[in-house]
Amino acid sequence: MASIPDATPVSAITVPGTHESLTLRGGPLAVTQVWTLEKQLDVGIRCLDIHAGIWFPTDKEVGIRDANWLFSQGVTFTAVVEKVLAFLDENGGEAVLMKVTLHGLYQDRATRMVEQQLKRFEGKIWRKVSVPELGQVRGKIVFLQNRKFPLGTENHRSYLFESNQLKDVEEKLRHVQWHLCGHYILLTQTAATAMQRPKALARSVNRQLSDLVRRRRGVAGCLGVISMDFPSAELIRNIIQLGTCGCGPTAGRPAGPEGLGPTEPGEPTTWRSNRT
């Protein structure tokens, strides 16, 4: 993110992310990633999807689990935040988005515990509803709100995928581009059902994403956050190189040194979207 101007809305940056970022345990019906948190950050992942909660009244920490089978991943929410902030301390020009979904029978208590834990990190996190400019959040975690975690920036699903197939992508992107210029963060992700193997679905989804990214080379990014299972380093790199949407001072400027010039911003039309 070092080459992206400070005035760029975070929503205008094309961001590679992982879905169920920390689900490395639980067998073939649960596991969604092979890289550790540290490795994901090193290869360029900048949006994390965290599933957490407390399951027993005696729990003193909010633990990380997978979304479907709720296998423990052997790490706490606090430890995850500390690891991400350690990365950001060494890479102060970057920002990391984090979507947290709370599970379990004690979600209200888990929310209170998370809020209490986050007080330790004030000044290093962004929890406001408004979309920040990149300069406001370099070196920080930007939380994304959802129905099970009310703290953070407004974001919406993209609906680029329908039944796990990309459909009418260019038309949808044309309509949503204006909204990416500071209004809300757009999130694209697919998820396997409890009885599907995430790796099998990822083969199809990631192939479609690779084709989409190749088609959009030389065009302003305007894809928002792309959250993936089992992404390859090449796919992550190609997503990063798409750069930013054509908003204000960014004018379609790419994140890397090889991008082309600006494109016209999209029309300010209504977009069908739901909060994630």
Side-chain angles (χ1 to χ4, degrees):
M1 295 179 175
S3 64
I4 300 176
D6 282 349
T8 306
V10 170
S11 56
I13 304 170
T14 304
V15 178
T18 45
H19 166 249
E20 286 200 49
S21 304
L22 301 180
T23 304
L24 282 74
R25 302 179 180 182
L29 291 177
V31 172
T32 57
Q33 308 297 332
V34 294
W35 289 331
T36 64
L37 173 59
E38 293 87 348
K39 178 64 175 177
Q40 290 181 40
L41 294 171
D42 285 344
V43 299
I45 293 298
R46 292 295 179 269
C47 185
L48 302 171
D49 175 37
I50 306 299
H51 292 260
I54 53 178
W55 280 262
F56 303 100
T58 55
D59 286 350
K60 292 182 169 49
E61 292 278 359
V62 177
I64 306 300
R65 302 204 179 201
D66 73 281
N68 288 323
W69 299 93
L70 302 180
F71 288 112
S72 173
Q73 300 303 311
V75 65
T76 66
F77 173 77
T78 301
V80 171
V81 173
E82 289 174 341
K83 289 180 180 181
V84 175
L85 290 178
F87 170 82
L88 291 170
D89 284 343
E90 296 181 0
N91 300 272
E94 303 294 307
V96 173
L97 283 60
M98 185 180 292
K99 177 186 172 185
V100 179
T101 303
L102 296 176
H103 300 266
L105 299 175
Y106 306 95
Q107 291 182 24
D108 290 342
R109 181 167 171 244
T111 299
R112 291 193 298 270
M113 290 173 68
V114 167
E115 290 176 341
Q116 185 64 34
Q117 291 163 357
L118 290 180
K119 291 179 180 179
R120 295 175 46 198
F121 308 111
E122 289 294 344
K124 287 287 190 178
I125 60 176
W126 179 275
R127 295 191 289 173
K128 297 179 182 179
V129 175
S130 59
V131 175
E133 295 180 349
L134 181 57
Q136 295 176 285
V137 293
R138 291 193 193 273
K140 297 181 181 181
I141 297 173
V142 179
F143 283 95
L144 305 181
Q145 64 174 256
N146 64 75
R147 285 187 291 270
K148 294 188 176 182
F149 187 79
L151 308 175
T153 298
E154 186 174 6
N155 60 102
H156 296 277
R157 289 178 57 189
S158 73
Y159 293 99
L160 296 184
F161 279 92
E162 297 181 20
S163 301
N164 297 321
Q165 299 292 318
L166 285 172
K167 186 174 181 180
D168 301 327
V169 172
E170 297 304 326
E171 179 67 12
K172 291 173 181 177
L173 291 178
R174 184 176 68 85
H175 285 196
V176 78
Q177 181 173 352
W178 181 79
H179 296 283
L180 290 175
C181 295
H183 293 76
Y184 57 74
I185 292 171
L186 190 71
L187 177 62
T188 295
Q189 71 177 34
T190 60
T193 65
M195 298 310 295
Q196 283 181 303
R197 295 188 178 215
K199 183 170 286 189
L201 178 60
R203 290 192 189 101
S204 170
V205 167
N206 292 352
R207 183 167 55 249
Q208 294 177 69
L209 287 172
S210 295
D211 291 342
L212 172 63
V213 170
R214 279 195 293 270
R215 292 197 305 269
R216 293 188 64 80
R217 284 177 180 165
V219 181
C222 290
L223 290 180
V225 176
I226 302 176
S227 184
M228 303 164 283
D229 292 341
F230 302 104
S232 68
E234 179 183 14
L235 178 54
I236 293 167
R237 181 172 60 252
N238 290 341
I239 290 171
I240 292 170
Q241 290 176 351
L242 288 178
T244 62
C245 206
C247 303
T250 65
R253 174 175 172 169
E258 299 177 356
L260 302 179
T263 60
E264 290 298 319
E267 300 172 0
T269 53
T270 300
W271 176 245
R272 177 173 66 92
S273 57
N274 292 324
R275 183 174 298 167
T276 54

